[in-house]
Amino acid sequence: MIFPFESLSDERRAIGLGVAVVVGIAFGFVQERTGFGRAPKLVGQFYGYDMTVFKAMFTAIVTAMLGTVVLSGLGLLDLRTVEFNYPTFLWPMVVGGLVLGVGFIVSGYCPGTSFVAAASGKLDGLVTVLGVILGTLVYAETEPAMGGFQNSGRLGGFFLYQWLHVPRPLLAVIITALAVVAFAAATRIERLAGKRAPVSPTTVAEAGPAALERGSKKRTAA
Amino acid sequence: MKRDQAKFWDPYAGGMALGLVLLATYAMMGKGLGASGASFRAGVAIVHAITPKHAELVPAMASTLEDGNPLDDWLVFEVLGVIVGGLIGAATSGRIAREVSKGPTFGTSWRLALALAGGVLMGFAAKLARGCTSGQGLSGGALMSVGSWAFMLSVFAGGYGMAYFVRRQWR
């Protein structure tokens, strides 16, 4: 096993922090170029008129998933070390997911994309960044009163291939096939929803994002 | 060269690039990407600067302060990179503009109030779920973690459930 380089989290920590900045730049750049820095594009998946973010997110999951299967199959990556960092606490994850989904559609961003939006000048993105910071502090203050809910449904390192008793490579192929079906369905949804979209994807594509912001500029000017 | 602000990468190409960045991060660091963890660390740093005694009394903050400066952390450096990367991506495609994204008929102050409220909900939720869409959904999801998939399905359920009630801000 060559990967991961454990020294990067330990005695060569400074190099690890340099790696953090580099992968962060790549992460932020790709997000911006794929449209993750724009609230109308991000929320499009919840109204069906623009499924870009859904498609990109699941393509990323499938790509990294197949990559881990190949790298560990070749004996290059010690996947146990990586999996160790992702234990399951089922109930707080389900409730946290529901609340985060509500926050996502209300703010128009998720915590990561709000950084990208703020970096490109979106004031609502910056306000979301501040809101997320505040929210994490509210959590820290209220956690002692939760009666241990945050640790409920503790399943440890528990993965879909263990739950379904399917070999990991086979399950990776099945999930990839399901993703392809989901992408086709997403494209159909875009066509159907495009007709009654609040901001149709064609408006965005043809007139440019300026069309989306024109209203806000007028209001600010007034 | 004329830049088209509305031109984005193909979603599958963008997704593949994102997946390869994630894979490289697993391989080098033994863990994936993240975002909200850095937000929390920034918050702890602020609280600690204002009232250090209080920060040391709150368990979640105290455990972050145990290792020294809360900002001296891998995730904080990664998010600084995300901000730089987002800035480069926007600057090189002509997309930097001081603006508020919303539908043309929705008020700016209401939009900002919702952005703040949604942010607070997400910050709370991300701490509860031990990660946000990046650190739990994407990074745990690609490892096939049961919790990450339960989280992700719940995010979509919450988003679809709430979408109708806030549709006006995008009109």
Side-chain angles (χ1 to χ4, degrees):
Chain A
M1 303 276 178
I2 302 173
F3 302 116
F5 302 129
E6 284 182 36
S7 62
L8 291 179
S9 311
D10 202 0
E11 72 267 17
R12 296 212 175 126
R13 194 169 171 274
I15 300 174
L17 295 181
V19 170
V21 175
V22 174
V23 297
I25 290 175
F27 188 34
F29 182 83
V30 175
Q31 284 190 70
E32 202 287 328
R33 284 301 174 92
T34 315
F36 285 28
R38 303 196 150 254
K41 237 178 152 51
L42 286 160
V43 301
Q45 62 189 332
F46 295 116
Y47 297 103
Y49 64 82
D50 187 342
M51 301 299 283
T52 300
V53 176
F54 169 83
K55 289 175 183 171
M57 179 85 174
F58 278 92
T59 305
I61 287 175
V62 164
T63 304
M65 178 185 68
L66 293 174
T68 56
V69 168
V70 170
L71 288 183
S72 72
L74 293 171
L76 294 174
L77 173 67
D78 177 14
L79 212 40
R80 300 268 166 235
T81 313
V82 189
E83 286 181 342
F84 177 77
N85 291 314
Y86 296 89
T88 288
F89 292 83
L90 194 59
W91 304 124
M93 285 172 177
V94 167
V95 174
L98 286 170
V99 176
L100 196 136
V102 170
F104 193 154
I105 190 70
V106 169
S107 92
Y109 302 101
C110 64
T113 53
S114 68
F115 285 113
V116 178
S120 63
K122 303 281 180 291
L123 192 54
D124 49 328
L126 182 64
V127 169
T128 301
V129 169
L130 299 177
V132 172
I133 293 174
L134 194 59
T136 60
L137 295 177
V138 171
Y139 174 88
E141 298 287 346
T142 51
E143 190 191 53
M146 282 182 201
F149 176 73
Q150 74 275 16
N151 294 321
S152 60
R154 180 183 204 145
L155 300 174
F158 186 47
F159 300 86
L160 293 175
Y161 57 89
Q162 295 169 332
W163 181 43
L164 300 170
H165 299 284
V166 176
R168 189 211 302 265
L170 177 62
L171 187 58
V173 172
I174 294 171
I175 291 175
T176 306
L178 288 174
V180 172
V181 174
F183 295 153
T187 302
R188 269 190 84 87
I189 290 169
E190 276 173 343
R191 284 206 199 108
L192 290 172
K195 290 167 196 157
R196 52 178 183 83
V199 180
S200 83
T202 48
T203 318
V204 184
E206 285 162 14
L212 290 176
E213 321 298 349
R214 211 163 284 147
S216 72
K217 290 236 174 75
K218 261 183 211 152
R219 216 171 262 276
T220 333
Chain B
M1 195 179 78
K2 193 175 166 288
R3 290 176 184 145
D4 183 358
Q5 290 187 359
K7 184 114 177 93
F8 291 102
W9 285 358
D10 172 81
Y12 305 117
M16 253 180 234
L18 210 55
L20 292 176
V21 173
L22 176 59
L23 183 63
T25 310
Y26 287 147
M28 284 187 284
M29 303 307 304
K31 62 187 170 192
L33 300 159
S36 55
S39 308
F40 179 58
R41 285 177 172 276
V44 173
I46 295 166
V47 174
H48 190 250
I50 299 170
T51 159
K53 270 192 197 140
H54 179 73
E56 276 148 26
L57 275 175
V58 179
M61 295 191 201
S63 62
T64 305
L65 289 164
E66 258 170 29
D67 310 322
N69 187 341
L71 296 179
D72 183 14
D73 181 73
W74 195 88
L75 206 48
V76 174
F77 283 78
E78 186 239 75
V79 166
L80 289 176
V82 168
I83 294 168
V84 173
L87 187 65
I88 296 172
T92 53
S93 55
R95 275 196 284 264
I96 293 199
R98 254 189 67 188
E99 60 195 4
V100 175
S101 10
K102 58 175 194 58
T105 61
F106 198 74
T108 302
S109 29
W110 272 107
R111 169 71 192 112
L112 293 179
L114 287 181
L116 183 70
V120 172
L121 286 174
M122 290 192 292
F124 185 92
K127 281 296 288 173
L128 182 61
R130 290 174 167 77
C132 61
T133 352
S134 306
Q136 191 60 261
L138 183 65
S139 301
L143 294 169
M144 304 191 207
S145 159
V146 171
S148 300
W149 281 76
F151 169 79
M152 194 116 63
L153 293 176
S154 304
V155 169
F156 276 95
Y160 282 111
M162 189 67 190
Y164 176 81
F165 302 102
V166 290
R167 68 192 186 284
R168 280 187 47 220
Q169 66 171 332
W170 313 111
R171 286 199 173 158

